[in-house]
């Protein structure tokens, strides 16, 4: 039941936005009851926070799996970038919730959004630190680079969500080149 309510909430938030959505809409789409909704979630905000966490977990899990399958720090960085872009493209509604709907919705939601950004930035920094340690890239301020990469990715994905100028994955080669050059590495040739 909880998963059905979450799926319905995702659908409702995606179609109506956070402010336009009401618990009754989620209950109707999930074919459940208000009692069931409130059993799992004390409010509309709490189900929204859960969806934000779900997206973060999907991306983190996908990135860590892709990274584990690669050899060498630079290949791991490239795999992580690919997974983030592909996940955003495949989970468009969740990406919209995290990057567009969650902005400016009050202190609790803003804390959650910034916490997710900190988690992602920390994950990027860990892998950049590994690249420095294995001497794949020169020593540098990996914390600053991680925040810059996250900011750039957020902007690219947000603009795609709003304007959808072609497939998001089509921007992957340029992003890969830009990110790798920003850390003093030349991208490997992928035939693209």
């Amino acid at each position: 039941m909880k998963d059905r309510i979450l799926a319905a909430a995702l659908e409702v938030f995606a179609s109506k936005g956070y402010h336009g959505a009401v618990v009754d809409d989620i209950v109707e789409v999930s074919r459940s009851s208000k009692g069931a909704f409130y059993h799992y979630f004390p409010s509309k905000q709490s189900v929204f926070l859960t969806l934000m966490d779900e997206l973060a977990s999907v991306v983190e899990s996908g990135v860590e799996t892709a990274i584990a399958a690669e050899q060498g720090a630079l290949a791991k960085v490239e795999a992580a970038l690919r997974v983030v872009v592909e996940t955003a493209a495949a989970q468009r509604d969740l990406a919209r919730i995290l990057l567009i709907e969650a902005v400016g919705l009050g202190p609790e939601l803003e804390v959650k959004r910034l916490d997710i950004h900190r988690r992602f930035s920390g994950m990027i920094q860990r892998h950049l630190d590994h690249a420095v340690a294995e001497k794949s890239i020169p020593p540098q301020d990996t914390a600053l680079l991680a925040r810059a990469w996250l900011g750039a990715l957020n902007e690219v994905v947000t603009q795609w969500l709003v304007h959808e100028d072609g497939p998001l994955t089509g921007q992957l080669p340029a992003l890969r080149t830009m990110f790798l050059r920003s850390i003093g590495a030349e991208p490997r040739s992928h035939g693209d």
Side-chain angles (χ1 to χ4, degrees):
M1 178 64 70
K2 182 177 181 180
D3 289 340
R4 201 164 79 201
I5 292 170
L6 279 170
L10 173 59
E11 183 180 328
V12 170
F13 287 131
S15 66
K16 294 188 173 196
Y18 181 82
H19 292 295
V22 294
V23 170
D24 287 340
D25 295 331
I26 297 168
V27 167
E28 181 181 333
V29 171
S30 68
R31 296 181 316 278
S32 64
S33 66
K34 275 191 173 180
F37 178 91
Y38 287 115
H39 173 74
Y40 295 107
F41 306 102
S43 65
K44 174 177 85 169
Q45 181 175 329
S46 69
V47 74
F48 193 82
L49 288 167
T50 300
L51 287 172
M52 289 175 70
D53 271 333
E54 186 175 292
L55 174 62
S57 294
V58 165
V59 172
E60 281 180 312
S61 173
V63 165
E64 293 298 347
T65 299
I67 285 172
E70 294 293 335
Q71 297 297 316
L74 293 181
K76 290 177 184 291
V77 166
E78 291 182 64
L81 175 60
R82 185 187 73 251
V83 168
V84 168
V85 169
E86 289 174 351
T87 301
Q91 302 283 334
R92 184 184 179 94
D93 291 340
L94 285 174
R96 178 176 289 283
I97 284 170
L98 183 61
L99 297 175
I100 296 174
E101 290 295 324
V103 175
L105 290 178
E108 191 173 346
L109 289 167
E110 188 61 14
V111 165
K112 172 60 73 182
R113 193 177 69 80
L114 292 174
D115 177 59
I116 290 169
H117 284 207
R118 191 180 73 252
R119 284 168 47 192
F120 287 163
S121 180
M123 183 173 52
I124 294 166
Q125 184 180 356
R126 274 193 319 276
H127 293 290
L128 289 174
D129 286 341
H130 183 70
V132 169
E134 75 171 21
K135 300 186 183 334
S136 296
I137 60 174
Q140 50 200 291
D141 186 343
T142 56
L144 176 63
L145 281 164
R147 289 190 295 272
W149 281 20
L150 183 61
L153 272 172
N154 282 340
E155 185 62 18
V156 167
V157 174
T158 299
Q159 290 300 320
W160 173 76
L161 288 167
V162 172
H163 301 292
E164 196 170 345
D165 296 330
L168 180 59
T169 53
Q171 298 183 32
L172 206 52
L175 281 169
R176 181 186 327 115
T177 299
M178 179 182 74
F179 285 171
L180 290 177
R181 285 186 177 156
S182 76
I183 58 174
E186 281 301 313
R188 300 178 301 165
S189 176
H190 290 286
D192 50 29

